[in-house]
Amino acid sequence: MRITQGTFSFLPDFTDQQIHEQVQYCIDNGWAVSIEYTDDPHPRNTYWEMWGHPMFDNPDAAAVVFELNECRKVYGSYYIRIIAFDSSPGWESIRLSFIVNRPSKEPGFRLNRTETKGRNIQYSMSPYSSDNPQGSRYK
Amino acid sequence: MEKELEETKPNSKLAQVNLKEEFESSGVDQILSELDDTLIGLKPVKTRIRETASLLLVDKAREKMGLMTESPTLHMSFSGNPGTGKTTVALKIADLLFRLGYVRKGHLVTVTRDDLVGQYIGHTAPKTKEVLKKAMGGVLFIDEAYYLYRPENERDYGQEAIEILLQVMENNRDDLVVVLAGYKDRMDKFFESNPGFRSRIAHHINFPDYSNDELLEIGEIMISDMNYKLNEKSREAFAEYIKLRRKQPHFANARSIRNAIDRIRLRQANRVFKTSKGPINSDVLSIIDEVDVRKSRVFSGGIDS
Ligand SMILES: Nc1ncnc2c1ncn2[C@@H]1O[C@H](COP(=O)(O)OP(=O)(O)OP(=O)(O)O)[C@@H](O)[C@H]1O
Ligand SMILES: [Mg+2]
């Protein structure tokens, strides 16, 4: 099941050239761009691991694509996303976030039904991949 | 719209290009004449840059007609003594490459060994990469590049920085241009022991020392840029100063001239302050007198920095 989240989520995955252009748009707007990765695709997993530092002072998007490829060398089988922060309101707010790398196989989610008081049913979901411990979920 | 689509298609071909038009619309001409006007002397450097600019312009035209397969190597090395205008020219080169469409942003990032090489294990790679990322889209200028290589110390981290540099110079050729600079003999030795660099650098440009006349001309431009004036006597004295200063140690061409002018201004200010009584006009404030020059230590056998 192909995970979708963030901006452009219904478009096909971007090429590096397209990533470059989107990131350049962010930089030209003065937003700080960072790279994050995770192997937990649960939609409530908001805080992913950060790759390096947020990039404040690189005028050209090639710098971000370069780091993205460094990140892929280590976490090529994980989800990787790019996030752009805007600090102009006086706090950091996310302007844009999109997935730039995903595992080759995305097994999807299990629907859990839990019977509670009065025969009520509580639903939850968990990624099949998180049956395995962190770090050994995607090959 | 149609034209844009045309340009983004990698294999699209044009049947004709107009080199003259490209030359004029790119603004390259303007930079080249700026280079001619603002920099005194440096004939061989200017010629090389002109040649390189035409080559790149033709390459772009070839690319548009589908005749190019690979982007050209643009990394350069500038060798020459201190104060011969290497940094100044690098700035122009960045602008030039930007106008020609070979770098996307055209900024110049100037670094030396300390900005690239770390103090402890694991410090160097991130430091070098940070600098490289900052320079992407522009030109990275590495001054006194040979300090990166210290063969006498086996465990020197400079080697690590060199390896990352070489990798990025090769793999990210479209993202940044690297200019290595330093004194001629030491640069030659550096390239001898680092063949990787030599083969990645397409343009070696040599910066000759300035003649005394050129230095005088440079000095006069600097002086008038600061809204000062020489008179006949002080010009003569300044010419003599240049002759003497050149023979002294630590002579740094145009930079020595700039430093000398700073000290001359100091002496001029002191003189004006001590001798003036009552109101003075702008001439008094801007004319450099013979004594302001001749009081320099250089005339009495001393050494100026
Ligand atoms: N041809 C020239 N005409 C006018 N000014 C010049 C010329 N060459 C150099 N200068 C001036 O001399 C000063 C020193 O030049 P620059 O910093 O470019 O030298 P450099 O070769 O980079 O020296 P270093 O090797 O010591 O770094 C600058 O202030 C520059 O403006
Ligand atoms: Mg310099």
Side-chain angles (χ1 to χ4, degrees):
Chain A
M1 189 199 144
R2 188 173 179 277
I3 303 279
T4 58
Q5 61 158 269
T7 330
F8 320 120
S9 61
F10 292 100
L11 295 180
D13 289 339
F14 284 165
T15 63
D16 277 11
Q17 177 62 32
Q18 289 167 325
I19 294 170
H20 181 112
E21 283 166 31
Q22 292 299 344
V23 170
Q24 193 62 57
Y25 173 82
C26 300
I27 292 173
D28 292 344
N29 273 302
W31 304 337
V33 182
S34 44
I35 296 170
E36 297 184 339
Y37 61 91
T38 190
D39 66 351
D40 178 2
H42 196 282
R44 295 286 182 173
N45 173 25
T46 318
Y47 302 110
W48 295 16
E49 308 290 333
M50 181 124 74
W51 174 264
H53 307 289
M55 288 173 252
F56 296 104
D57 48 2
N58 301 320
D60 193 89
V64 174
V65 176
F66 174 81
E67 276 303 339
L68 169 61
N69 283 317
E70 295 287 294
C71 181
R72 279 176 177 148
K73 280 183 203 157
V74 184
Y75 298 111
S77 61
Y78 283 35
Y79 291 95
I80 304 177
R81 71 182 174 194
I82 280 177
I83 292 199
F85 291 97
D86 179 6
S87 62
S88 61
W91 59 86
E92 294 281 0
S93 49
I94 296 175
R95 284 286 177 211
L96 183 142
S97 145
F98 58 101
I99 293 181
V100 288
N101 196 78
R102 58 177 72 248
S104 53
K105 269 207 201 103
E106 302 175 81
F109 296 85
R110 172 189 295 119
L111 182 67
N112 304 307
R113 296 180 179 84
T114 312
E115 235 185 63
T116 59
K117 254 191 210 148
R119 302 204 66 189
N120 275 331
I121 292 187
Q122 214 168 46
Y123 296 99
S124 71
M125 60 187 219
S126 48
Y128 290 117
S129 57
S130 58
D131 288 349
N132 292 320
Q134 207 174 25
S136 51
R137 290 174 181 166
Y138 298 101
K139 290 280 131 50
Chain B
M1 188 65 204
E2 195 125 275
K3 201 174 160 244
E4 269 175 37
L5 280 177
E6 193 75 338
E7 274 171 6
T8 50
K9 254 189 276 162
N11 290 323
S12 69
K13 287 178 198 162
L14 288 178
Q16 275 188 326
V17 288
N18 187 334
L19 280 182
K20 257 241 132 39
E21 226 169 66
E22 302 265 315
F23 185 63
E24 273 156 18
S25 70
S26 61
V28 170
D29 191 31
Q30 194 197 326
I31 296 192
L32 289 177
S33 31
E34 240 176 71
L35 205 68
D36 278 344
D37 297 344
T38 54
L39 293 181
I40 305 300
L42 293 178
K43 256 263 135 54
V45 176
K46 288 172 180 171
T47 316
R48 273 305 297 276
I49 291 174
R50 241 171 219 288
E51 286 168 0
T52 311
S54 346
L55 171 77
L56 294 179
L57 202 68
V58 170
D59 270 2
K60 268 276 171 242
R62 286 170 54 87
E63 189 188 322
K64 284 191 180 156
M65 302 187 101
L67 293 171
M68 286 281 293
T69 46
E70 229 179 285
S71 46
T73 308
L74 290 170
H75 306 308
M76 305 179 193
S77 108
F78 289 177
S79 49
N81 285 324
T84 46
K86 299 183 293 294
T87 309
T88 314
V89 170
L91 258 167
K92 295 271 182 222
I93 291 270
D95 206 5
L96 194 73
L97 293 173
F98 174 65
R99 305 279 176 109
L100 283 164
Y102 283 91
V103 292
R104 289 182 295 265
K105 298 272 156 188
H107 57 295
L108 182 78
V109 175
T110 304
V111 297
T112 54
R113 179 190 156 95
D114 288 347
D115 302 297
L116 297 167
V117 182
Q119 306 281 326
Y120 44 84
I121 292 178
H123 191 202
T124 301
K127 229 177 151 178
T128 305
K129 282 181 188 164
E130 240 10 81
V131 167
L132 285 165
K133 285 191 294 185
K134 216 173 276 176
M136 281 182 182
V139 174
L140 176 64
F141 184 80
I142 306 178
D143 222 351
E144 306 205 65
Y146 30 75
Y147 283 132
L148 286 176
Y149 177 66
R150 296 218 165 126
E152 68 280 4
N153 184 352
E154 241 177 76
R155 268 177 295 172
D156 184 64
Y157 301 130
Q159 194 56 40
E160 202 180 335
I162 289 179
E163 271 153 34
I164 296 167
L165 270 169
L166 289 177
Q167 223 177 3
V168 171
M169 281 167 82
E170 189 68 29
N171 300 341
N172 298 66
R173 259 197 284 170
D174 296 335
D175 294 328
L176 86 166
V177 171
V178 176
V179 177
L180 304 178
Y183 309 139
K184 173 114 184 61
D185 46 337
R186 303 185 64 178
M187 285 303 274
D188 288 346
K189 251 197 230 130
F190 174 70
F191 285 125
E192 251 169 58
S193 32
N194 292 277
F197 269 120
R198 212 224 309 261
S199 59
R200 277 172 183 75
I201 286 175
H203 309 275
H204 292 264
I205 301 181
N206 200 11
F207 286 64
D209 282 345
Y210 293 114
S211 71
N212 290 345
D213 289 344
E214 284 167 347
L215 287 176
L216 182 59
E217 213 178 317
I218 290 171
E220 283 192 274
I221 290 180
M222 287 175 180
I223 286 170
S224 75
D225 280 350
M226 298 176 195
N227 287 318
Y228 283 89
K229 281 185 240 155
L230 289 172
N231 57 29
E232 213 162 296
K233 285 244 170 87
S234 57
R235 182 172 304 112
E236 228 168 79
F238 197 48
E240 267 177 62
Y241 171 90
I242 292 170
K243 245 184 249 162
L244 293 172
R245 179 64 187 88
R246 177 186 286 280
K247 292 187 204 125
Q248 290 187 334
H250 309 300
F251 172 65
N253 284 282
R255 177 156 318 107
S256 293
I257 301 302
R258 182 174 290 278
N259 294 342
I261 291 170
D262 285 344
R263 283 185 297 266
I264 288 171
R265 284 166 55 205
L266 199 70
R267 288 192 289 266
Q268 189 252 18
N270 264 320
R271 173 178 58 79
V272 170
F273 186 72
K274 273 189 195 144
T275 56
S276 83
K277 291 181 188 80
I280 47 174
N281 58 18
S282 74
D283 253 8
V284 175
L285 283 173
S286 48
I287 286 182
I288 289 170
D289 205 45
E290 185 181 4
V291 284
D292 302 331
V293 182
R294 290 208 185 269
K295 268 198 186 149
S296 158
R297 273 171 300 189
V298 171
F299 286 101
S300 50
I303 289 176
D304 259 359
S305 62

